[in-house]
Amino acid sequence: MTDHEQLIELHSDDLHLALAPLGARVHRLRARDGGGAWRDVVLGLPRVADHLDDDRYLGATVGRYANRVARGELVVDGTTHQLPINDRGHTLHGGPDGYDRRTWAVVASSPTSAELELVSPDGDQGFPGTVTVRARFEVRDRTLRTSYAARTDAPTVVSLSSHAYYRLGGETAADHELTLHADAYLPVTDGVPTGEVADVAGTRFDLRSGGRPGDLDHPFVVRGCENGWSPGGPLREVARLRGHGLVLELAADQPGVQVYTAGAFDRPPHAPYAGIAIEPQLHPDTPHHPEWPSAVLRPGETYRWTSEVTITPDR
């Protein structure tokens, strides 16, 4: 087995995670349904190494900056750093050689948990500072808990996320019901926020009472984070996904969430709308929006990110 095919198996009685060090990636996640049968609930590819020829970030940890930085222009403490461009004139998920394409070191593992580490050197994809990231995955009962911690030796920006695409059954997630605990969304142009924070009421982005999400690739403001956000705070309810006899509930400690319904998928094994990515994160392009929660990380500080995904039978 090559390093790219390495898998770490974590399991409880009702949840089974196959974790790949390549991209600190949720390669497979299986949950027991109401009848006791195992069901795959995330999109993947046949082999882990296949992700090196794929640009959809399936199941990966994305960074150093999840989502987009406009024009790849990053200013930290008055110094401008040019990041590589890889999406419509902007930098997406840390650039073309982001954390999703790195093989993370396994530093600890047990039948129910694993911890991985990545050292991202100064100048990596144009970002300043050497950043050391720890990713921890833990399976307990019907919940997958994922947490990231990062430290730096020089001022930089860090915003990570897990890019799993969920599908609870069938061949498409277009028939799933999505509930978002978000009263506001961020309008975008070519994926980059305009700076406006808009009310979801009366728009197709109003999923507070649940509905089919349709064609979405937008950032939302998690309820309770409209007027600020304190790192390390309690987990907040972010989303609920329901379909084919299963319910997935996601909670996280981030102020925003990106929802992408995979409408642009155009090649096997996954067709358009095959899954729904629900990505807790800092807002996109925060370096150009100082009024939003900051992604700046300084020496002596610790960046933290935590989410819990719980999958239960729909009763």
Side-chain angles (χ1 to χ4, degrees):
M1 179 185 296
T2 67
D3 288 345
H4 287 160
E5 292 304 319
Q6 181 183 3
L7 287 173
I8 304 165
E9 307 283 345
L10 308 179
H11 54 84
S12 67
D13 289 343
D14 296 304
L15 207 60
H16 177 201
L17 169 66
L19 175 66
L22 179 63
R25 184 183 309 271
V26 176
H27 181 61
R28 286 190 305 271
L29 183 62
R30 293 173 176 165
R32 285 193 192 272
D33 63 18
W38 288 100
R39 191 171 312 170
D40 292 321
V41 295
V42 298
L43 303 188
L45 295 175
R47 300 186 313 123
V48 176
D50 293 339
H51 292 282
L52 293 172
D53 297 317
D54 193 271
D55 61 359
R56 293 174 288 186
Y57 306 96
L58 299 175
T61 296
V62 291
R64 181 178 305 190
Y65 194 96
N67 218 309
R68 294 166 179 86
V69 176
R71 303 174 299 282
E73 297 175 357
L74 173 64
V75 179
V76 179
D77 291 349
T79 299
T80 299
H81 306 269
Q82 182 60 51
L83 313 179
I85 301 302
N86 62 328
D87 180 72
R88 293 172 286 178
H90 310 295
T91 301
L92 174 64
H93 294 328
D97 187 24
Y99 292 178
D100 61 294
R101 308 187 72 78
R102 315 293 175 81
T103 298
W104 295 50
V106 180
V107 295
S109 66
S110 76
T112 58
S113 67
E115 193 164 341
L116 284 66
E117 183 177 88
L118 179 70
V119 178
S120 173
D122 179 40
D124 188 3
Q125 297 293 282
F127 290 92
T130 296
V131 169
T132 301
V133 184
R134 285 282 182 107
R136 178 178 171 82
F137 299 83
E138 182 181 1
V139 170
R140 57 190 182 198
D141 299 325
R142 288 185 168 273
T143 297
L144 169 62
R145 181 180 176 91
T146 304
S147 58
Y148 304 129
R151 293 178 67 84
T152 183
D153 66 356
T156 189
V157 294
V158 174
S159 177
L160 308 177
S161 193
S162 174
H163 209 296
Y165 291 84
Y166 301 107
R167 183 177 67 202
L168 303 180
E171 298 299 320
T172 175
D175 60 353
H176 289 25
E177 179 186 89
L178 176 65
T179 301
L180 284 180
H181 302 289
D183 301 314
Y185 74 100
L186 306 180
V188 298
T189 300
D190 289 335
V192 173
T194 63
E196 179 186 3
V197 178
D199 194 323
V200 300
T203 75
R204 68 185 182 92
F205 303 105
D206 190 348
L207 294 165
R208 293 174 294 182
S209 298
R212 295 186 180 180
D215 190 9
L216 274 187
D217 189 7
H218 273 77
F220 292 79
V221 181
V222 175
R223 183 175 298 141
C225 299
E226 297 86 354
N227 298 315
W229 167 77
S230 297
L235 301 189
R236 297 175 182 272
E237 294 181 341
V238 175
R240 182 177 188 267
L241 189 64
R242 180 182 181 187
H244 298 268
L246 287 177
V247 174
L248 180 152
E249 294 177 291
L250 185 151
D253 63 354
Q254 300 296 295
V257 60
Q258 182 85 11
V259 177
Y260 175 45
T261 55
F265 278 18
D266 60 358
R267 60 189 178 281
H270 303 305
Y273 309 106
I276 300 175
I278 309 171
E279 310 158 54
Q281 58 188 238
L282 291 171
H283 299 324
D285 199 33
T286 61
H288 294 113
H289 295 279
E291 70 276 17
W292 294 345
S294 175
V296 173
L297 181 68
R298 301 186 183 279
E301 300 175 343
T302 301
Y303 164 90
R304 299 190 186 278
W305 183 106
T306 301
S307 79
E308 289 187 348
V309 172
T310 302
I311 304 167
T312 56
D314 189 3
R315 304 189 186 282

